[in-house]
Amino acid sequence: EAAVTQSPRSKVAVTGGKVTLSCHQTNNHDYMYWYRQDTGHGLRLIHYSYVADSTEKGDIPDGYKASRPSQENFSLILELASLSQTAVYFCASRPGGLWTLYFGAGTRLSVL
Amino acid sequence: SQWGEENLQALSIQEGEDVTMNCSYKTYTTVVHWYRQDSGRGPALIILIRSNEREKRSGRLRATLDTSSQSSSLSITAAQCEDTAVYFCATEGSSNTNKVVFGTGTRLQVLP
């Protein structure tokens, strides 16, 4: 079973503060993704990566940075957190293109 | 609005009934993923159907894909209470982009 671990599981941040969400996978997967989910809505792609030290923009990258320092780790960084970034964030990995995504349990972020 | 930004659609059925959820996508896709999300958890793949397949079955699940109309459907036969969840379709344009984009999703409630 593919394992994707997100930390923290929940976080409260202040407006204007810096937030880092972490994702770790032990599956030796090449691809990793960050999605956000607002209550009662679907998932929207923020950033993704298919190799260490390289990231790609998704559909809603504004206000977010991503970092892939190794194959196993993929971080999402909010340099200046805003109220509108309150959401649940999901990380996912997969072995290659056109294949299933394996999701973590999510990080619930509240920006106050 | 972006695909997936709208509110989740809601369906409520009785146990034992059949149900079909539809997904219309806007751009070319080489594969349609169907995911199930239980409350408080990340999505998990239930069926993946590729562009050269018209139908895919897995137990009580049946997915169809019509590339000419850019639509896919997920059917559950004889739904059970444990099928209560949110169901999403997701598409990806090609193996070169590696982007997996999620649709709006349907919140299915199966009543005893």
Side-chain angles (χ1 to χ4, degrees), chain A residues 38-57:
Chain A
D38 295 281
T39 302
H41 289 73
L43 290 87
R44 291 183 287 170
L45 180 63
I46 308 172
H47 286 288
Y48 61 104
S49 167
Y50 54 88
V51 68
D53 295 322
S54 177
T55 63
E56 304 293 328
K57 293 181 179 180

Side-chain angles (χ1 to χ4, degrees), chain B residues 30-90:
Chain B
T30 51
V31 61
V32 174
H33 307 230
W34 282 94
Y35 288 84
R36 167 192 172 131
Q37 184 179 27
D38 294 304
S39 180
R41 306 188 69 173
L45 184 84
I46 51 176
I47 270 195
L48 186 148
I49 182 167
R50 300 184 186 278
S51 58
N52 61 350
E53 300 173 305
R54 293 186 62 82
E55 179 181 293
K56 192 85 167 278
R57 291 179 183 268
S58 176
R60 293 183 295 106
L61 304 177
R62 172 177 174 261
T64 66
L65 178 58
D66 184 343
T67 54
S68 63
S69 64
Q70 296 191 154
S71 64
S72 177
S73 70
L74 175 71
S75 298
I76 303 176
T77 302
Q80 301 172 3
C81 291
E82 50 264 39
D83 294 324
T84 293
V86 178
Y87 293 84
F88 295 101
C89 68

Side-chain angles (χ1 to χ4, degrees), chain A residues 33 35 41 59 94 99, chain B residues 5 30 50 92 98-100:
Chain A
Y33 300 77
Y35 291 88
H41 289 73
D59 294 326
R94 69 174 180 174
W99 205 243
Chain B
E5 274 190 347
T30 51
R50 300 184 186 278
E92 53 186 301
N98 302 302
K99 283 179 62 176
V100 182

